[in-house]
Amino acid sequence: MLYHLLLQTVKTQQSAGVSPGQPHLLLYDLVYDDDMKVAVNDLSQAATGGSLYVIADEVGSEWRPSFMKNSFKPFCYQLLTRIPRLHLWAASSFHGYEPAGWQAENLTRPLRSPPVVFRKVKQDEMFTSNIPVHPYSERGVADHTDGPPVIRLYHRGEGHSGDWPGDCVTCGREVASFLHSLRVGVTESGTTSTTVTPTSGGTTQPCLQWRDVLVLYWDDGRDNVGVVTGLQEAGIPVRVMKDADIEDVATARSHVVWVARGDRVRGLERKVVVCLEEAVTPGLLYDRRSVPFYLMSRCTSQLVIVSSDLEPAEDD
């Protein structure tokens, strides 16, 4: 998203006769030592006059924050040894992993989601266990509404199949039914369209479009065939995110509902977020029935949780 916005700015400046630098999108996986070496070398060579400015957003948002300690901190130290005038800003959900002597600021005001969503988010085990995530502070701005209530659908009962919601066609149909009740993709004239076309006499753009919806899950081994089939059967345009779709998802270019692993959409937000809850895995520190907080916190309005619990959850 940042690269896309910079690219738009550069194009605007170029059309005005200004010749700024050209942004380059560099992709590394700092978990691997070889990738880290390449990243440090590339950035060191890009430094001008010994100075370099780096923005690292959503660092270490896996459910295990060990990435910050084992990968990102060494990356920062190695850059600093190579680039004496290094300016590096990093944002992370976790705290306490910044390199020694580096300034840290805690930004904890819940400004993205409505109150009903952030109340649900702060119930997550990441906030209540010993995992280092700061609790929310006061919002500090007036709330005109509490937001639409969190909707919970259940993967159980007649017609449901598979060991979790993503495998279940019926769950997909129930999600589709709820999305239709929100009139997603329905224009003011009452027609349903996957392509929004404004008119000179007034807009036909719906209040909610399909690209305003994300369906998120956690386990990378899931294929989500069931829920995707259920959405398709209900006439909802849906696509499962692949590596080649990253830019399309970031810019919300296509009028489709994207189904994606949650940690691949870090920093993005959508008006409607549907979270597919995992079945519980015994012995894990982190109860996988609890949808990770950074999935739910992508939501700016309507949060939907499709639960794999056998019993109703506590009132949200």
Side-chain angles (χ1 to χ4, degrees):
M1 174 61 80
L2 181 59
Y3 169 73
H4 177 75
L5 293 174
L6 287 171
L7 198 60
Q8 286 183 320
T9 300
V10 166
K11 290 179 179 178
T12 300
Q13 291 176 334
Q14 287 175 337
S15 64
V18 181
S19 299
Q22 182 70 22
H24 297 274
L25 181 62
L26 305 177
L27 303 176
Y28 307 105
D29 190 343
L30 299 181
V31 171
Y32 301 102
D33 290 340
D34 289 344
D35 263 28
M36 186 184 298
K37 292 177 182 178
V38 173
V40 171
N41 287 334
D42 288 350
L43 293 172
S44 299
Q45 293 175 16
T48 303
S51 295
L52 182 69
Y53 295 80
V54 177
I55 299 175
D57 194 18
E58 294 285 348
V59 175
S61 292
E62 292 84 0
W63 75 278
R64 291 185 302 269
S66 58
F67 169 83
M68 294 291 289
K69 177 180 179 181
N70 300 329
S71 298
F72 191 69
K73 285 177 70 172
F75 169 72
C76 293
Y77 285 131
Q78 289 183 38
L79 269 186
L80 188 58
T81 60
R82 298 277 296 272
I83 305 168
R85 290 189 293 277
L86 174 66
H87 305 267
L88 189 151
W89 294 268
S92 175
S93 301
F94 305 103
H95 70 90
Y97 290 94
E98 63 275 3
W102 291 34
Q103 182 180 353
E105 296 286 345
N106 299 319
L107 307 179
T108 57
R109 294 172 62 193
L111 299 178
R112 173 186 291 115
S113 305
V116 67
V117 172
F118 78 73
R119 286 199 304 271
K120 179 62 181 173
V121 171
K122 70 180 183 181
Q123 295 173 11
D124 186 88
E125 290 185 29
M126 290 281 196
F127 293 95
T128 59
S129 69
N130 59 357
I131 297 175
V133 177
H134 275 304
Y136 283 123
S137 59
E138 293 298 321
R139 190 174 177 89
V141 294
D143 297 312
H144 298 293
T145 68
D146 195 47
V150 176
I151 300 298
R152 188 179 287 270
L153 306 175
Y154 291 96
H155 175 58
R156 63 166 181 259
E158 184 178 355
H160 289 268
S161 60
D163 65 350
W164 86 299
D167 293 335
C168 182
V169 175
T170 299
C171 281
R173 292 170 181 159
E174 292 181 356
V175 170
S177 177
F178 179 73
L179 294 179
H180 283 309
S181 75
L182 295 178
R183 297 178 61 81
V184 181
V186 177
T187 65
E188 294 176 0
S189 63
T191 59
T192 302
S193 175
T194 58
T195 303
V196 179
T197 306
T199 62
S200 58
T203 181
T204 61
Q205 182 169 318
C207 294
L208 282 174
Q209 304 176 45
W210 296 119
R211 62 185 177 185
D212 293 325
V213 181
L214 274 177
V215 177
L216 302 180
Y217 61 99
W218 171 249
D219 194 335
D220 200 28
R222 304 294 193 178
D223 56 22
N224 303 287
V225 170
V227 74
V228 170
T229 299
L231 291 168
Q232 291 173 334
E233 288 180 354
I236 293 178
V238 57
R239 287 173 60 185
V240 177
M241 179 181 173
K242 307 296 183 184
D243 287 345
D245 301 318
I246 290 175
E247 182 180 357
D248 197 326
V249 176
T251 59
R253 184 170 58 220
S254 297
H255 289 276
V256 300
V257 172
W258 284 103
V259 178
R261 174 169 167 149
D263 68 348
R264 303 186 72 187
V265 295
R266 302 173 189 174
L268 298 184
E269 55 187 40
R270 292 291 190 273
K271 293 178 182 177
V272 181
V273 173
V274 179
C275 297
L276 305 180
E277 192 175 77
E278 288 290 319
V280 65
T281 302
L284 282 180
L285 168 66
Y286 184 66
D287 185 349
R288 297 296 283 277
R289 287 177 298 182
S290 300
V291 177
F293 72 95
Y294 47 85
L295 272 64
M296 297 186 288
S297 62
R298 302 303 93 209
C299 175
T300 64
S301 183
Q302 177 67 70
L303 177 62
V304 181
I305 298 174
V306 187
S307 176
S308 58
D309 283 340
L310 296 179
E311 299 296 333
E314 295 181 1
D315 186 14
D316 296 323

